[in-house]
């Protein structure tokens, strides 16, 4: 089993853009909103709505939101939510955190504090919610994925579907049923470390994802603040390392760290294909190894594709595959029954692709770097 990651190593991964950031309500505390006040918890906001409706404090945000909309209309509730959860100013620490090139950012907040903080640092971060079609969103640009919805998307039609108006619901049911959950799992797997800031650990489905992998726990860190209670610290320790420090302390770590750029000129899980032939004679042992063991000699395969001895036959599927890829397709799946020549066809595609200006790579083995290497 891998050892727990050191915080200095985690900081280095953040500065190299190989970490996932996950923010909760605590990240937004201290920012100012369009209503002219400080960001508050969902419970505090629910109490304000209750007061406006002459109801007692302590009601759930779901119930009091419905009462408020019934009394004053959906438009009034939308305006209230947007003024409450749209940032007008943020403090220095969120800006410094958002200035880093995170692999991806996720949040259970429906405010725009992270995006606003990034914009103050001249970085554009696109707001995404689970209602977005995952296939329409470019994954190469910086994204902040709102697991509970985003106030910037509110209309009369989306008010009750776009955001989760309750402290406890968050993304528990919606992310499990969403294609975005697949991206979330993939990001957690390929990230070198995961940093949670101000998250309360009440979301059941997210906790299930975090508890599913010992490897993930080794690289996960929770910034819970200096005043975190014992219960919060105990909950967080089940899923990773707890940093009982404020966000200011953590960004000070980032600022102080001097990290050298990584030299990414080699791969552990992938091999770059080189097209080379052989001057050696094709022997019966080469043919027997191919037919009996499935061991392909790439140099004799290359010769066969260039008028050498007929070591292999060039399958029509190879030509069709390359034609589709040249036409702009992002991927192909080649399948057949066992022993029908898939491996040789794929090797043929790669050699022909090299001749037409492509680069080609083959998967050679599973390592912890496999997904990050695939991104590269």
């Amino acid at each position: 089993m891998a050892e727990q990651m050191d915080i200095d190593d985690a900081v280095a991964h953040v500065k190299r853009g190989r970490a996932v950031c996950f923010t909760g309500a605590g990240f937004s505390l201290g920012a100012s909103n369009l209503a002219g006040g400080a960001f508050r918890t969902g419970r505090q906001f629910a109490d304000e709505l209750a007061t406006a409706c002459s109801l007692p404090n302590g009601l759930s945000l779901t119930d009091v939101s419905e009462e408020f909309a019934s009394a004053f209309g959906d438009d009034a509730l939308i305006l209230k939510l947007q003024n409450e959860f749209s940032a007008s100013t943020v403090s220095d620490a969120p800006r410094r955190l958002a200035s880093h090139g995170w692999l991806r950012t996720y949040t259970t907040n429906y405010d725009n504090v992270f995006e606003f903080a990034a914009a103050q640092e001249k970085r554009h971060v696109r707001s995404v919610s689970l209602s977005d079609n995952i296939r329409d969103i470019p994954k190469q640009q910086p994204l902040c994925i709102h697991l509970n919805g985003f106030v910037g998307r509110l209309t009369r039609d989306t008010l009750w579907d776009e955001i989760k108006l309750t402290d406890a619901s968050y993304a528990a049911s919606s992310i499990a049923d969403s294609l975005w959950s697949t991206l979330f799992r993939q990001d957690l797997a390929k990230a070198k470390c995961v940093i949670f800031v101000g998250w309360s650990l009440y979301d059941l489905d997210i906790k299930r994802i975090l508890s599913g992998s010992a490897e993930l726990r080794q690289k996960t860190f929770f910034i819970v603040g200096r005043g975190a209670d014992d219960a919060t610290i105990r909950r967080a320790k089940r899923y990773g390392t707890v940093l009982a420090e404020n966000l200011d302390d953590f960004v000070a770590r980032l600022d102080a760290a001097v990290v050298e750029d990584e030299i990414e000129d080699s791969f552990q899980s992938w091999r770059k294909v080189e097209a080379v032939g052989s001057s050696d004679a094709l022997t019966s042992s080469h043919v027997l190894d191919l037919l009996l063991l499935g061991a392909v000699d790439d140099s004799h395969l290359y010769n066969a594709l260039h008028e050498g001895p007929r070591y292999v036959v060039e399958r029509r599927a190879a030509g069709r595959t390359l034609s589709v890829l040249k036409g702009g397709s992002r991927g192909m799946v080649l399948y057949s029954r066992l022993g029908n020549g898939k491996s040789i066809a794929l090797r043929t595609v790669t050699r022909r692709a090299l001749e037409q200006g492509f680069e080609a790579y083959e998967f050679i083995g599973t390592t912890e770097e496999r997904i990050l290497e695939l991104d590269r």
Side-chain angles (χ1 to χ4, degrees):
M1 181 182 295
E3 295 182 357
Q4 180 63 48
M5 181 179 293
D6 181 83
I7 183 58
D8 292 334
D9 291 335
V11 165
H13 293 316
V14 171
K15 299 198 74 166
R16 287 172 176 151
R18 304 182 72 179
V20 163
C21 180
F22 193 113
T23 68
F27 176 78
S28 299
L29 297 179
S32 298
N33 58 30
L34 294 182
F39 270 72
R40 296 170 292 177
T41 65
R43 171 63 60 200
Q44 292 169 331
F45 181 61
D47 288 344
E48 180 184 330
L49 296 183
T51 299
C53 297
S54 301
L55 296 172
N57 289 345
L59 297 175
S60 73
L61 187 54
T62 297
D63 291 337
V64 75
S65 295
E66 292 174 347
E67 291 294 332
F68 186 92
S70 177
F72 302 102
D74 286 357
D75 289 348
L77 179 58
I78 290 171
L79 182 62
K80 192 79 171 174
L81 288 164
Q82 290 177 334
N83 283 336
E84 181 71 25
F85 295 106
S86 297
S88 60
T89 64
V90 295
S91 58
D92 185 56
R95 289 178 55 168
R96 288 154 64 193
L97 189 79
S99 69
H100 290 277
W102 297 91
L103 182 66
R104 199 97 65 206
T105 302
Y106 291 85
T107 183
T108 50
N109 304 334
Y110 28 78
D111 60 57
N112 68 337
V113 171
F114 187 91
E115 296 93 321
F116 186 90
Q120 299 302 297
E121 297 297 316
K122 312 302 183 200
R123 292 188 69 245
H124 173 70
V125 175
R126 180 170 180 167
S127 304
V128 174
S129 71
L130 301 189
S131 61
D132 286 300
N133 187 333
I134 192 170
R135 297 181 179 86
D136 294 337
I137 305 298
K139 311 305 184 301
Q140 293 74 27
Q141 68 182 83
L143 302 178
C144 182
I145 300 173
H146 292 259
L147 302 179
N148 289 343
F150 179 54
V151 293
R153 304 287 176 79
L154 292 183
T155 67
R156 294 177 185 175
D157 294 331
T158 65
L159 174 59
W160 303 107
D161 297 325
E162 174 65 24
I163 64 176
K164 306 302 174 187
L165 290 172
T166 171
D167 290 333
S169 65
Y170 282 123
S173 60
S174 55
I175 189 174
D177 300 328
S178 168
L179 290 175
W180 289 100
S181 66
T182 300
L183 182 67
F184 183 45
R185 292 174 185 274
Q186 290 174 348
D187 284 344
L188 293 179
K190 72 182 179 183
K192 297 298 290 185
C193 73
V194 183
I195 307 295
F196 284 81
V197 183
W199 184 55
S200 58
L201 289 99
Y202 282 115
D203 309 85
L204 292 178
D205 272 18
I206 295 176
K207 288 197 291 186
R208 289 191 187 103
I209 292 173
L210 295 180
S211 64
S213 166
E215 180 182 305
L216 178 57
R217 289 196 295 273
Q218 306 297 336
K219 63 182 182 180
T220 298
F221 294 80
F222 294 90
I223 302 171
V224 298
R226 297 178 190 173
D229 57 70
D230 292 341
T232 298
I233 293 175
R234 280 196 300 270
R235 283 198 304 271
K237 281 184 176 179
R238 298 173 192 151
Y239 306 101
T241 299
V242 176
L243 301 177
E245 61 187 35
N246 294 332
L247 181 56
D248 302 74
D249 303 319
F250 182 72
V251 295
R253 288 180 185 269
L254 294 176
D255 293 343
V258 178
V259 178
E260 295 182 359
D261 292 335
E262 288 183 305
I263 301 174
E264 296 187 340
D265 59 354
S266 62
F267 296 96
Q268 300 176 41
S269 294
W270 306 85
R271 175 177 58 208
K272 189 172 184 178
V273 177
E274 303 290 344
V276 293
S278 175
S279 58
D280 297 336
L282 178 67
T283 66
S284 58
S285 63
H286 290 123
V287 177
L288 288 174
D289 287 345
L290 173 63
L291 296 179
L292 298 180
L293 305 177
V296 181
D297 186 300
D298 288 322
S299 59
H300 284 297
L301 182 146
Y302 180 88
N303 289 349
L305 299 179
H306 295 85
E307 302 182 355
R310 290 192 73 196
Y311 175 61
V312 299
V313 174
E314 185 167 2
R315 299 297 186 94
R316 290 191 298 271
R320 292 200 301 270
T321 300
L322 187 57
S323 177
V324 171
L325 294 177
K326 287 174 62 180
S329 175
R330 298 297 300 275
M332 287 282 288
V333 175
L334 191 149
Y335 65 96
S336 75
R337 292 182 178 179
L338 186 66
N340 271 3
K342 295 183 295 296
S343 297
I344 291 176
L346 288 172
R347 279 177 156 82
T348 301
V349 169
T350 60
R351 276 66 188 178
R352 292 303 192 196
L354 291 172
E355 296 169 8
Q356 299 189 39
F358 287 90
E359 287 187 352
Y361 294 82
E362 294 175 333
F363 182 69
I364 57 175
T366 297
T367 69
E368 292 183 1
E369 299 291 317
R370 63 194 182 279
I371 303 178
L372 279 170
E373 288 179 356
L374 182 58
D375 277 353
R376 286 165 50 195

